[in-house]
C-alpha cells in the first residue's frame, strides 16, 4: 500500500507570513493532487501535478512535484485568514483510486 | 448543477441500529466513492464503484455494504452500527474525462453511534 505523510500536521501562523506544507512518500506516484477542506464541507480540488519537477501557481499558492515523483510541497506566500483550512495531498493509486495523506490543518490568525 | 449531494447531513444511531447513507451526482461521472474521515487520519476509502454495476472494497470495508443503484446514485449501508463507525462520511465522484482521477466531493454526513 502506498502511503503519503504530510507535515506538519498542525500549523498556526500570523497573517502575512509565508509557509510550506510537505507531502512525502517512499513510493512513486504518476500524479498528485492537493485539496482544501473548510469546516463542515467536503474537500475541493486545488491542483494536479503530473511531471517530476513541475511547478504550478494558483495566485499566492505554489505547488511543486518532486523530481522523483515521490513528494510534493505547497507554499503559501503572504497568508491570509481565508487560507485557513485542512490541506490534503492525494496520490493516484491504480486506475481508479486515490490515497490521501492525513492532512495539514492550517490556521491563519488576523 | 448540484454536483454531489448526500443525505442525511447529521445522524445519531444507537449501537446495533442500521441505516443507509445516500449519495447522488449529476455530473454523469462513471466512478463513485465512499470515504470516512477521522481526526488525524485523512480520508480512508471504504468502497468504490468504477462503473455502474460494479463495486470494490477499499481500505476499510468491514461493517459496510454498498449499492450502485444506477449511474447517478451510490448508497452506503451500515447493517449493525458500532461506536467505532462514528465518523464523517464523504461521497465522491470522478469522470472518465478526468485523466488523473480528480474527485468531486459531497458535503458529508456526520454520524455518531452511541
Amino acid at each position: 500500500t502506498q502511503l503519503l505523510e504530510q507535515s506538519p500536521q498542525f500549523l498556526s501562523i500570523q497573517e502575512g507570513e509565508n509557509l510550506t506544507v510537505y507531502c512525502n512518500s517512499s513510493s512513486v506516484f504518476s500524479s498528485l493532487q492537493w485539496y482544501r477542506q473548510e469546516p463542515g464541507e467536503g474537500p475541493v480540488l486545488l491542483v494536479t501535478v503530473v511531471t517530476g519537477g513541475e511547478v504550478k501557481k494558483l495566485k499566492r499558492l505554489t505547488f511543486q512535484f518532486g523530481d522523483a515523483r515521490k513528494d510534493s510541497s505547497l507554499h503559501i506566500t503572504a497568508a491570509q485568514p481565508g487560507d485557513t483550512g485542512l490541506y490534503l495531498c492525494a496520490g493516484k493509486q491504480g486506475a481508479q483510486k486515490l490515497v490521501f495523506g492525513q492532512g495539514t490543518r492550517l490556521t491563519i490568525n488576523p | 448543477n448540484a454536483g454531489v449531494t448526500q443525505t442525511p447531513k447529521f445522524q445519531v444511531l444507537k449501537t446495533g441500529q442500521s441505516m443507509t447513507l445516500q449519495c447522488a451526482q449529476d455530473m454523469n461521472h462513471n466512478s463513485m466513492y465512499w470515504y470516512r474521515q477521522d481526526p488525524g487520519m485523512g480520508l480512508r476509502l471504504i468502497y468504490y464503484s468504477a462503473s455502474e454495476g460494479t463495486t470494490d472494497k477499499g481500505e476499510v470495508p468491514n461493517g459496510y455494504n454498498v449499492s450502485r443503484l444506477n449511474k447517478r446514485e451510490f448508497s452506503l449501508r451500515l447493517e449493525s452500527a458500532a461506536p467505532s463507525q462514528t465518523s464523517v462520511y464523504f461521497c465522491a465522484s470522478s469522470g472518465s474525462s478526468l485523466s488523473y482521477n480528480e474527485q468531486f466531493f459531497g458535503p458529508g454526513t456526520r454520524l455518531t453511534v452511541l
Side-chain angles (χ1 to χ4, degrees), chain B:
Chain B
N1 273 357
V4 179
T5 57
Q6 292 183 236
T7 56
K9 295 202 76 171
F10 300 93
Q11 184 71 49
V12 179
L13 293 177
K14 294 181 179 178
T15 297
Q17 287 184 318
S18 62
M19 78 162 295
T20 300
L21 282 65
Q22 307 285 355
C23 173
Q25 53 92 10
D26 62 2
M27 295 174 283
N28 200 36
H29 285 167
N30 288 324
S31 302
M32 297 185 74
Y33 307 82
W34 276 106
Y35 293 91
R36 61 177 289 172
Q37 185 174 41
D38 302 294
M41 302 287 288
L43 289 161
R44 292 185 293 169
L45 183 64
I46 304 171
Y47 271 93
Y48 68 103
S49 171
S51 61
E52 187 178 354
T54 69
T55 60
D56 285 287
K57 294 179 180 179
E59 182 186 353
V60 288
N62 291 345
Y64 305 95
N65 285 302
V66 290
S67 295
R68 184 73 182 268
L69 304 170
N70 48 56
K71 191 171 186 179
R72 290 188 63 248
E73 298 172 289
F74 188 38
S75 63
L76 177 71
R77 183 161 178 82
L78 287 70
E79 290 291 351
S80 179
S84 61
Q85 294 178 304
T86 292
S87 188
V88 183
Y89 291 85
F90 288 98
C91 177
S93 70
S94 182
S96 56
S97 63
L98 301 167
S99 305
Y100 307 109
N101 202 25
E102 292 95 332
Q103 296 185 8
F104 292 80
F105 286 83
T109 294
R110 283 142 190 84
L111 175 66
T112 301
V113 183
L114 302 174

Side-chain angles (χ1 to χ4, degrees), chain A residues 9 30-31 33 35 37 39-45 48 50 86 88 92 95-103 105, chain B residues 9 31 33 35 37 40-43 45 48 50 57-59 90 99-108 110:
Chain A
Q9 279 199 291
S30 59
S31 64
Q33 301 162 22
Y35 291 80
Q37 183 179 15
E41 300 181 8
V44 175
L45 178 69
T48 301
V50 178
L86 179 68
L88 295 157
K92 189 177 178 187
Q96 299 294 338
K97 298 187 290 184
L98 295 177
V99 59
F100 283 83
Q102 77 272 43
R105 189 164 298 281
Chain B
K9 295 202 76 171
S31 302
Y33 307 82
Y35 293 91
Q37 185 174 41
M41 302 287 288
L43 289 161
L45 183 64
Y48 68 103
K57 294 179 180 179
E59 182 186 353
F90 288 98
S99 305
Y100 307 109
N101 202 25
E102 292 95 332
Q103 296 185 8
F104 292 80
F105 286 83
R110 283 142 190 84

Side-chain angles (χ1 to χ4, degrees), chain A residues 59-75:
Chain A
K59 296 183 180 178
R60 293 175 294 100
L61 279 60
T62 301
F63 304 85
Q64 185 162 7
F65 202 11
D67 290 342
R69 290 183 290 131
K70 290 183 178 181
D71 55 85
S72 181
S73 63
L74 158 60
H75 182 80

Side-chain angles (χ1 to χ4, degrees), chain A residues 3-4 7 11 13 19 24-25 27 32 43-45 49 53 55 64 71 80-81 90 93 98 101-102 105 109-110:
Chain A
L3 294 175
L4 285 167
S7 61
L11 184 58
I13 64 171
L19 67 107
N24 296 303
S25 177
S27 303
L32 200 140
V44 175
L45 178 69
V49 286
V55 176
Q64 185 162 7
D71 55 85
Q80 298 178 0
Q93 186 178 52
L98 295 177
Q102 77 272 43
R105 189 164 298 281
N109 303 299

